[in-house]
């Protein structure tokens, strides 16, 4: 099920797109499934989006000017009550978004001027499997994603240039909960929350010249996972919360990018995994105030990066079980992070200006509790205020 307010799509050569979208009311969607002894797959795809615009151009050009404002709440919920034996896999995806913009270019140029704003509202996604007696014989993949602002640009043989500005004053929250008796297969339980997200990927003789600005100022960006089973063969819980994220990749030309990120929100990520009997169990949680990753499999990268994080980053990851084999528990918290790389076989060159300031508390805690026996238990916890990594590598490395 998909609920989207003020949605438009464009797909023309040589296009000029002037987009103005304003969503004032709430956008809410929900699905409840009651299944008993299901013999095949049980699946649901649930989404709530305030404003959405998507389009692409081939062998031409796209001049895109877009303004999107979301002043209502976006909520998406999925609830599953499974009784008896569920023979097939359980696949649940729940997404809540404030503003969404996607553009593609194939043998074409894209010039973008985009402004996305989410007011002091709530963007929440929740997925739950609630019957503790559930027997999920085909395994499970259940995920919740909440993002206030999203801009995604992709292309092949494309020149991508322009300015993207994002501001979120929203609380952004995702939660995924699973209670079960028996999972004799793979069980993946995931929650992801992002205040502002920008992704640009261009390949095959492409280049990028962009200015990216992101501001997250809501009360909190949180991701929570609780994955529980009496007997699980391979159970994993993964939670990730990030206030601002920009991820760029290019191949075949230069990349010149200015990034400017600021976060005031509390960032919290928590994962709890429990199983009395288990084969493999994984609990992982990560939280970041500001994150930038820029890679170019060509010779020239220029990055001017500024990041300020004053919101706290708190990450916890826990596992509790009795008898089993392999346990992995990890927690990673970071105030500001930037990564940049270029291609060594192309005589890669990098010009970097980096300014990072973190004034918020950053904490990570990983806990494993084994009441009986286990073959291996590996735990790790890392907390970092500012981290910057720049390198030149071979393509594919």
């Amino acid at each position: 099920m998909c609920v989207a307010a003020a949605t438009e799509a464009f797909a023309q050569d040589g296009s000029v797109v002037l987009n103005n979208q304003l969503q004032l009311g709430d956008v809410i969607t929900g699905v409840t499934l009651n299944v008993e002894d299901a013999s095949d797959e049980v699946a649901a795809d649930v989404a709530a989006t305030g404003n959405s615009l998507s389009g692409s151009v081939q062998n031409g050009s796209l001049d895109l000017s877009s303004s999107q404002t979301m002043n209502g709440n976006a909520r998406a919920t999925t609830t599953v009550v499974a009784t008896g034996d569920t023979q097939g896999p359980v696949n649940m995806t729940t997404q809540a978004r404030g503003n969404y913009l996607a553009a593609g270019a194939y043998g074409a140029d894209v010039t973008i001027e985009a402004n996305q704003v989410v007011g002091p509202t709530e963007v929440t996604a929740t997925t739950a499997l609630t019957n503790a007696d559930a027997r999920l014989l085909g395994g499970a993949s259940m995920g919740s994603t909440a993002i206030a602002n999203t801009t995604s640009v992709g292309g092949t043989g494309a020149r991508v240039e322009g300015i993207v500005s994002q501001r979120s004053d929203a609380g952004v929250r995702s939660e995924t909960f699973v209670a079960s008796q028996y999972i004799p297969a793979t069980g993946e339980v995931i929650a992801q929350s992002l205040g502002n997200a920008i992704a640009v990927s261009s390949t095959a003789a492409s280049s990028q010249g962009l200015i990216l600005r992101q501001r997250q100022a809501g009360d909190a960006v949180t991701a929570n996972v609780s994955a529980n089973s009496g007997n699980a063969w391979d159970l994993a819980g993964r939670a990730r919360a990030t206030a601002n994220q920009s991820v760029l990749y290019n191949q075949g030309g230069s990349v010149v990018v200015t990034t400017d990120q600021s976060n005031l929100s509390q960032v919290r990520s928590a994962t709890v995994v429990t199983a009395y009997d288990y084969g493999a169990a994984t609990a992982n949680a990560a939280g970041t105030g500001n994150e930038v990753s820029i890679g170019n499999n060509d010779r020239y990268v220029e990055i001017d990066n500024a990041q300020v994080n004053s919101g706290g980053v708190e990450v916890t990851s826990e596992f509790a079980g009795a008898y089993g084999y392999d346990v992995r528990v990890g927690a990673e918290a970071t105030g500001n992070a930037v990564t940049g790389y270029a291609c060594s076989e192309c005589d890669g060159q990098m010009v970097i200006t980096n300014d990072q300031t973190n004034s918020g508390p950053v904490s990570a805690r990983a806990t494993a509790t084994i009441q009986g026996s286990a073959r291996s238990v590996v735990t790790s916890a890392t907390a970092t205020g500012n981290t910057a990594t720049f390198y030149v590598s071979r393509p594919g490395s």
Side-chain angles (χ1 to χ4, degrees):
M1 178 178 292
C2 177
V3 176
T7 301
E8 302 178 37
F10 299 87
Q12 307 178 40
D13 292 347
S15 295
V16 176
V17 178
L18 305 176
N19 178 60
N20 186 17
Q21 295 173 310
L22 172 62
Q23 176 64 29
L24 298 176
D26 296 345
V27 180
I28 300 172
T29 184
V31 167
T32 299
L33 296 177
N34 293 281
V35 296
E36 182 175 356
D37 292 325
S39 61
D40 209 333
E41 179 186 18
V42 177
D45 189 348
V46 180
T49 303
N51 297 304
S52 179
L53 173 71
S54 61
S56 63
V57 61
Q58 184 173 359
N59 299 326
S61 64
L62 176 63
D63 190 347
L64 172 60
S65 177
S66 176
S67 175
Q68 297 173 310
T69 301
M70 172 63 168
N71 284 330
N73 299 310
R75 297 195 188 100
T77 61
T78 305
T79 302
V80 183
V81 181
T83 57
D85 290 350
T86 302
Q87 301 289 341
V90 177
N91 295 313
M92 300 290 156
T93 301
T94 308
Q95 298 183 39
R97 298 178 186 269
N99 296 308
Y100 178 80
L101 169 62
Y106 306 92
D109 296 336
V110 174
T111 301
I112 185 170
E113 183 177 348
N115 184 50
Q116 296 178 314
V117 176
V118 177
T121 60
E122 294 286 323
V123 179
T124 59
T126 304
T127 307
L129 192 151
T130 59
N131 182 14
D133 295 325
R135 294 168 55 85
L136 310 179
L137 306 187
S141 176
M142 304 186 68
S144 303
T145 300
I147 309 176
N149 290 307
T150 305
T151 296
S152 177
V153 182
T156 301
R159 169 67 181 172
V160 182
E161 61 184 3
I163 300 173
V164 178
S165 178
Q166 298 176 322
R167 180 179 178 86
S168 165
D169 293 316
V172 184
R173 314 176 204 281
S174 62
E175 183 173 6
T176 308
F177 171 80
V178 172
S180 61
Q181 181 189 83
Y182 185 39
I183 310 179
T186 299
E188 285 277 347
V189 186
I190 298 170
Q192 177 179 239
S193 292
L194 290 159
N196 298 300
I198 298 173
V200 182
S201 178
S202 49
T203 60
S206 296
S207 62
Q208 298 175 13
L210 293 163
I211 298 172
L212 310 177
R213 301 188 181 101
Q214 296 173 308
R215 300 288 184 268
Q216 171 62 35
D219 66 329
V221 178
T222 66
N224 294 287
V225 162
S226 180
N228 311 278
S229 183
N231 185 332
W233 289 14
D234 185 0
L235 181 61
R238 311 181 200 277
R240 176 176 290 273
T242 304
N244 296 304
Q245 182 186 77
S246 292
V247 178
L248 287 75
Y249 173 81
N250 184 74
Q251 185 178 40
S254 65
V255 173
V256 179
V257 181
T258 298
T259 52
D260 181 4
Q261 297 177 320
S262 173
N263 174 52
L264 301 175
S265 302
Q266 295 293 313
V267 176
R268 294 191 296 271
S269 178
T271 296
V272 175
V273 177
T274 67
Y276 186 83
D277 295 311
Y278 57 90
T282 300
N284 187 269
T288 307
N290 298 303
E291 179 184 358
V292 170
S293 176
I294 300 173
N296 188 23
N297 271 334
D298 207 274
R299 63 177 302 175
Y300 188 73
V301 176
E302 183 176 332
I303 302 172
D304 187 346
N305 179 60
Q307 295 171 314
V308 177
N309 179 62
S310 55
V313 181
E314 180 182 0
V315 177
T316 61
S317 188
E318 305 176 33
F319 172 77
Y323 299 95
Y325 289 88
D326 302 317
V327 176
R328 302 290 183 269
V329 183
E332 183 177 357
T334 308
N336 297 303
V338 58
T339 301
Y341 64 88
C343 165
S344 64
E345 293 185 352
C346 318
D347 296 324
Q349 301 176 27
M350 303 185 73
V351 178
I352 305 297
T353 302
N354 185 47
D355 187 352
Q356 296 172 304
T357 301
N358 180 69
S359 58
V362 180
S363 66
R365 185 179 76 249
T367 304
T369 303
I370 310 299
Q371 297 175 340
S373 62
R375 180 169 63 183
S376 66
V377 179
V378 177
T379 62
S380 65
T382 304
T384 306
N386 298 301
T387 178
T389 305
F390 304 104
Y391 61 94
V392 176
S393 71
R394 296 179 180 177
S397 298

